[in-house]
Amino acid sequence: MSMEQPPRRPLPIMKIIKYLMIGIAVITLYIWTFATIDVDLAKALERMQSNFQRIVPRLFDPEWDSLGKVWGMMVETLFIAYAGSLAAAILAVPLGFLAAINMTNSKILTTIGKWILSAIRAFPEIILAILFVVAVGPTPFAGILAIAIGSTGMLGKLYSEVLESIDMEVVQAMQANGSNGIQIMFHGIIPQVIPEFLSYAIYRFEIDVRASTVLGYVGAGGIGLLIFFASSNRNWNEMGMILLVIIVVVTVIDYVSSYIRKRIV
Amino acid sequence: MLTKQKSQASNPPKIKKDKDGRYTPMVSPWRVKGRLFAIAIIIIALLFYSSIETEVSFGDLAEGFTNTFQVMGKFFPPETGILATTMDRLIETIHMAIISTTFATIFVIPLSLLAAQNITTNKWVYNGVRFFLNILRTVPDIVLAVIFVGIFGIGVFSGIIALFIFSMGILAKLISETIEAVDMEPIQAMRASGAGVIQSIYFGLVPQVLPQFTSFTLYVFEINIRASVVIGLVGAGGIGLLLNQQIQFYSYPSAMMIIIVIFLVVVVIEYISTKIREAIV
């Protein structure tokens, strides 16, 4: 069955050149990648044959005896995430105001604010955790600091976007009526942004729970420490238990948090 | 951003009505205030409880901060001697991210079609795939890396597989949500005029989701660059492995150099990817 296709509009020559250049760039990138990467596929597959049976079935056979220990560390993880994201939710407020153009009315200040926020966001949390473990020792406190600083970048950006989208007429009306800065802040701006700020803070808490499961690996407290021990001892049954606890807890928290967020906004 | 605000300001003022049709004042009534107060109490109570659980007091906080600045001195000045090795590892990291993102992008297509309610009409298949993806996304990247290092041994290959699985979970969710948001009418029209499933997906769905698809792929590439730092810590290749070695040898100035390189790379890649994404979507 041959069907008549509608006539195609000819592509302008500049577009063809553009597509060609993108295509060449992408292909070069792939050739470079696959030609230089050092992967010993045969060795990896050989290892897999001997290791697969030793690891995977044991992951699905969790060691129930360690449930108490794992649960205790999971609770610690949750508290690290909670304290960290609460600190970030507060730290991000001034930065959010700084990065919102309608709050500062100054292009320079806003640009500085945005730069600070993206600089913070560029640090992976695990690196912050490494730095803080060196600074304050291998305690949950290092984890809290890492989460607090790491989350401030994203929350500050989201906050500034919320602030930029508020109804400025309320603020202008208050200014016209002679309200001072503090009055405008508490009666004009904050009531408009509180629900969204809260919602984003809770959302960030969700992300932080996932993030803080990893931090213990470098010694910053929480369940990551158990991941470290289980992997160095090749105790895959315990790893299965850890994984099970993480999956259940994270799923429950995601569910509760999205329920609360739907109620707030 | 500025022009947007001006256009907003020129609109007629919007006064919000509540559900009974009355105009509500911005000042919160006492009921709302009471609720906010209760929430604040809960938040603070939980904070105190967590500070007991994690054995952190507010005194520690102040002490910790002053301590932090002192100890940070150990990291400076950054040791430039390690730069050459760092660059090799960095290229390895980028390679890992490129390969895993590519394969995740390919394998995610069938998966996200199966996880989109408007394409997969079979409820069992849809819910099953959704459930599987939700579970997949809760597994931390480091655990995936640890497992694959256990299976395939220390090296780049384990890292690629771990990143591949990790990014597939994120990508499948984002893309299936995009697919669910598309305009179904062209697809229905095609089906009605006799197009097959593959044809209707290719001509009706693909053009609608392609810009977002590309954008999300770039986003996941960014995430993979970051995640590969974590994954390297457990021995799955890349720059994280080098960082972990330097930390374990207490050579903090070298570690700082690596951290600076990671920071710069993340910033540059984020910048490029944001520019490309802005151009497509």
Side-chain angles (χ1 to χ4, degrees):
Chain A
M1 190 171 72
S2 76
M3 254 196 272
E4 195 76 21
Q5 294 278 331
R8 283 188 166 228
R9 206 184 300 152
L11 279 168
I13 190 83
M14 281 312 286
K15 254 199 167 154
I16 295 177
I17 292 172
K18 203 175 119 191
Y19 286 148
L20 260 178
M21 275 170 69
I22 293 173
I24 290 169
V26 170
I27 289 168
T28 328
L29 200 64
Y30 277 114
I31 290 174
W32 174 61
T33 303
F34 283 101
T36 51
I37 192 145
D38 175 30
V39 172
D40 196 344
L41 201 64
K43 204 173 168 193
L45 290 179
E46 187 197 21
R47 279 231 185 83
M48 187 188 91
Q49 276 170 352
S50 61
N51 288 345
F52 194 80
Q53 280 304 317
R54 243 172 1 94
I55 294 172
V56 178
R58 288 170 70 184
L59 283 175
F60 290 97
D61 177 25
E63 187 183 274
W64 290 96
D65 294 344
S66 57
L67 179 62
K69 184 174 69 173
V70 174
W71 178 250
M73 287 307 250
M74 190 68 219
V75 171
E76 189 178 278
T77 307
L78 287 181
F79 284 122
I80 291 173
Y82 180 79
S85 39
L86 183 61
I90 295 163
L91 280 174
V93 172
L95 285 169
F97 272 90
L98 186 64
I101 184 84
N102 55 348
M103 293 296 130
T104 53
N105 275 327
S106 141
K107 200 112 204 236
I108 300 163
L109 279 179
T110 307
T111 312
I112 293 172
K114 285 204 196 309
W115 269 98
I116 295 174
L117 290 173
S118 27
I120 298 172
R121 263 182 317 189
F123 274 106
E125 251 122 20
I126 195 95
I127 287 186
L128 290 171
I130 289 173
L131 291 176
F132 285 121
V133 165
V134 174
V136 300
T139 54
F141 183 49
I144 295 176
L145 286 176
I147 293 283
I149 306 289
S151 314
T152 306
M154 182 186 140
L155 273 181
K157 182 176 181 244
L158 292 171
Y159 282 5
S160 73
E161 279 164 9
V162 171
L163 283 167
E164 279 175 352
S165 70
I166 65 166
D167 186 359
M168 283 304 279
E169 306 205 343
V170 179
V171 176
Q172 282 156 9
M174 288 182 82
Q175 274 167 346
N177 284 325
S179 308
N180 62 28
I182 292 168
Q183 284 171 327
I184 292 174
M185 177 72 101
F186 280 97
H187 297 284
I189 297 169
I190 288 184
Q192 290 193 58
V193 296
I194 275 276
E196 270 153 332
F197 274 24
L198 264 180
S199 161
Y200 280 136
I202 295 170
Y203 172 61
R204 184 63 218 194
F205 172 67
E206 252 177 75
I207 299 176
D208 285 341
V209 171
R210 287 158 201 251
S212 53
T213 54
V214 175
L215 299 181
Y217 200 90
V218 295
I223 203 162
L225 189 68
L226 294 181
I227 297 174
F228 177 72
F229 286 142
S231 74
S232 4
N233 298 334
R234 311 254 188 295
N235 189 347
W236 297 105
N237 297 86
E238 194 183 315
M239 189 68 89
M241 192 67 234
I242 295 169
L243 208 51
L244 183 67
V245 170
I246 292 179
I247 289 173
V248 171
V249 170
V250 170
T251 309
V252 169
I253 285 184
D254 280 6
Y255 184 77
V256 173
S257 136
S258 65
Y259 175 78
I260 296 176
R261 281 189 286 135
K262 266 184 205 140
R263 290 276 314 263
I264 292 177
V265 179
Chain B
M1 207 42 90
L2 262 173
T3 51
K4 201 175 157 192
Q5 249 127 49
K6 266 180 198 152
S7 70
Q8 268 176 356
S10 63
N11 285 339
K14 280 174 283 179
I15 302 171
K16 282 180 191 154
K17 279 184 189 177
D18 66 6
K19 57 177 182 279
D20 303 323
R22 288 176 307 210
Y23 294 112
T24 45
M26 281 312 291
V27 182
S28 327
W30 66 268
R31 217 160 55 89
V32 178
K33 276 185 181 161
R35 200 192 284 164
L36 281 177
F37 188 67
I39 291 173
I41 294 283
I42 294 170
I43 290 174
I44 292 167
L46 267 174
L47 180 65
F48 271 104
Y49 188 54
S50 76
S51 80
I52 294 165
E53 274 291 325
T54 54
E55 289 161 5
V56 174
S57 70
F58 292 101
D60 285 349
L61 195 71
E63 196 187 325
F65 264 115
T66 48
N67 205 7
T68 303
F69 287 110
Q70 270 177 8
V71 180
M72 284 299 168
K74 277 200 226 169
F75 283 93
F76 289 95
E79 166 71 45
T80 46
I82 200 160
L83 210 54
T85 329
T86 312
M87 282 304 154
D88 288 350
R89 294 287 145 192
L90 180 67
I91 289 171
E92 195 175 274
T93 300
I94 293 173
H95 284 162
M96 281 164 65
I98 289 177
I99 294 176
S100 51
T101 312
T102 311
F103 282 107
T105 318
I106 296 167
F107 282 88
V108 91
I109 296 170
L111 212 57
S112 54
L113 285 174
L114 286 175
Q117 207 164 12
N118 50 352
I119 303 293
T120 308
T121 36
N122 184 331
K123 224 175 119 186
W124 288 99
V125 176
Y126 160 77
N127 280 326
V129 176
R130 265 284 147 106
F131 181 72
F132 170 70
L133 287 176
N134 282 338
I135 296 288
L136 192 62
R137 264 181 303 120
T138 57
V139 181
D141 42 6
I142 205 158
V143 176
L144 285 173
V146 165
I147 292 172
F148 287 116
V149 166
I151 295 178
F152 298 113
I154 286 176
V156 184
F157 187 72
S158 318
I160 291 173
I161 300 286
L163 284 179
F164 163 66
I165 304 279
F166 176 67
S167 43
M168 204 154 69
I170 303 171
L171 206 53
K173 180 177 187 250
L174 291 172
I175 290 173
S176 64
E177 275 169 6
T178 317
I179 294 175
E180 283 183 347
V182 299
D183 183 4
M184 283 302 282
E185 280 173 12
I187 298 165
Q188 281 159 359
M190 277 181 202
R191 292 306 302 266
S193 48
V197 176
I198 304 290
Q199 278 176 322
S200 61
I201 287 176
Y202 187 73
F203 291 104
L205 186 67
V206 171
Q208 287 193 62
V209 295
L210 201 57
Q212 266 97 346
F213 187 77
T214 323
S215 162
F216 286 142
T217 305
L218 285 168
Y219 171 65
V220 165
F221 178 67
E222 270 174 56
I223 293 182
N224 272 342
I225 292 277
R226 272 156 208 260
S228 67
V229 177
V230 176
I231 279 171
L233 287 181
V234 305
I239 204 164
L241 188 63
L242 189 65
L243 179 63
N244 197 30
Q245 283 164 1
Q246 298 306 319
I247 293 282
Q248 274 170 356
F249 296 150
Y250 299 102
S251 42
Y252 294 126
S254 300
M256 196 64 210
M257 195 64 234
I258 300 170
I259 290 172
I260 291 171
V261 170
I262 294 174
F263 175 77
L264 291 177
V265 169
V266 172
V267 169
V268 169
I269 286 182
E270 204 180 274
Y271 182 78
I272 297 173
S273 136
T274 315
K275 283 285 163 227
I276 299 177
R277 279 194 278 153
E278 274 170 6
I280 334 179
V281 180

